[in-house]
Amino acid sequence: MIRASGVGKEFEARKGGRVEALREIDLDVDENEFVVFVGPSGCGKSTLLKLIAGLLRCTSGSIQVHGRVIAEPFPDVGFVFQQPVLLPWRTVLDNVLLSAEMLGLAHGVARNRATHLLEISGLSEFADRYPGELSGGMQQRVSICRALLHDPSLLLMDEPFGALDALTREAMAMVLLRIWEENPKTVLFVTHSIKEAIVLADRVVVMTPRPGRIERILRIELPRPRDFDVEANPLFQSYNRDIRGLIFSRAGRLSMDM
């Protein structure tokens, strides 16, 4: 479904010169696959999602989605950011329906789908509430429902649970898996939590420090459906050691070089 070939991205630096964020990214992603990106801060994970969404353009290389080269935003994608970005004057239901208004979807169909998404997200009784009346985790669930309203084949999630406490974060991961299992789609998910990555992913992409490159891709062979009890599985522990070793061994080499 997605093919990134030799993707590089540079930005203009504020004080002149250029900053290289990504270098030579080659990655294929299958339809309905759940792929999670981990790596140190500043390694280009979020930048890569924005390139795939067409929000940024590659400096080098190309990205194709369904065989089409991406050079601008396109409708068949949902994007969940680090913050919910809800409109405080609109109710929960109306925040979800914002996508329908922007894309010109039929109101009746969109409302039925919004109601269903709120139901499976555990938010039905809050449909008429306002964002200020919700917890952070509930607000992020609303943003996920909004991203899924038009039923895109691709869902991009940029560290959506990063601002939540540990217990809420685990609960949110389970909500996401339940939604994905009911309505499979391709998901690209950025996180700094190795545990979260292993629980969610079909494959985990480990990235290097800037300029971000792919250090290794691990296929997660744990059975589905999953929850956080899978941490007791010896295979989980093996993945955890491997990913930590990849990230922290390189971080250690960088420290010694400095």
Side-chain angles (χ1 to χ4, degrees), residues 47-62:
T47 297
L48 182 56
L49 290 197
K50 291 174 183 176
L51 291 170
I52 292 169
L55 300 176
L56 296 173
R57 288 197 175 193
C58 303
T59 305
S60 59
S62 66

Side-chain angles (χ1 to χ4, degrees), residues 156-190:
L156 306 176
M157 309 188 75
D158 184 9
E159 206 176 347
F161 310 147
L164 306 177
D165 65 82
L167 292 177
T168 304
R169 187 170 186 147
E170 290 192 8
M172 287 295 299
M174 294 302 95
V175 169
L176 175 60
L177 280 180
R178 183 166 68 247
I179 293 171
W180 177 71
E181 287 161 0
E182 178 179 298
N183 185 15
K185 55 185 71 267
T186 306
V187 179
L188 303 186
F189 186 102
V190 167

Side-chain angles (χ1 to χ4, degrees), residues 59-191:
T59 305
S60 59
S62 66
I63 295 172
Q64 297 181 39
V65 177
H66 290 306
R68 172 194 168 201
V69 176
I70 300 303
E72 60 186 9
F74 58 101
D76 191 26
V77 61
F79 208 126
V80 181
F81 298 93
Q82 296 177 20
Q83 299 297 326
V85 197
L86 302 178
L87 300 179
W89 59 86
R90 296 180 67 124
T91 66
V92 164
L93 179 60
D94 286 339
N95 265 285
V96 176
L97 287 171
L98 182 62
S99 295
E101 295 171 20
M102 296 176 66
L103 294 170
L105 305 180
H107 181 75
V109 174
R111 189 179 182 87
N112 288 340
R113 179 162 172 78
T115 300
H116 176 66
L117 287 168
L118 291 174
E119 180 180 350
I120 63 177
S121 300
L123 293 171
S124 290
E125 63 184 290
F126 300 95
D128 295 325
R129 302 285 185 90
Y130 291 89
E133 302 177 78
L134 307 182
S135 68
M138 294 168 73
Q139 289 184 31
Q140 197 61 290
R141 274 186 270 171
V142 176
S143 72
I144 293 171
C145 292
R146 181 180 58 196
L148 292 171
L149 182 67
H150 60 298
D151 198 20
S153 64
L154 175 60
L155 180 63
L156 306 176
M157 309 188 75
D158 184 9
E159 206 176 347
F161 310 147
L164 306 177
D165 65 82
L167 292 177
T168 304
R169 187 170 186 147
E170 290 192 8
M172 287 295 299
M174 294 302 95
V175 169
L176 175 60
L177 280 180
R178 183 166 68 247
I179 293 171
W180 177 71
E181 287 161 0
E182 178 179 298
N183 185 15
K185 55 185 71 267
T186 306
V187 179
L188 303 186
F189 186 102
V190 167
T191 183

Side-chain angles (χ1 to χ4, degrees), residues 11-19:
F11 294 96
E12 295 285 345
R14 289 184 179 179
K15 296 183 179 180
R18 299 181 70 81
V19 175

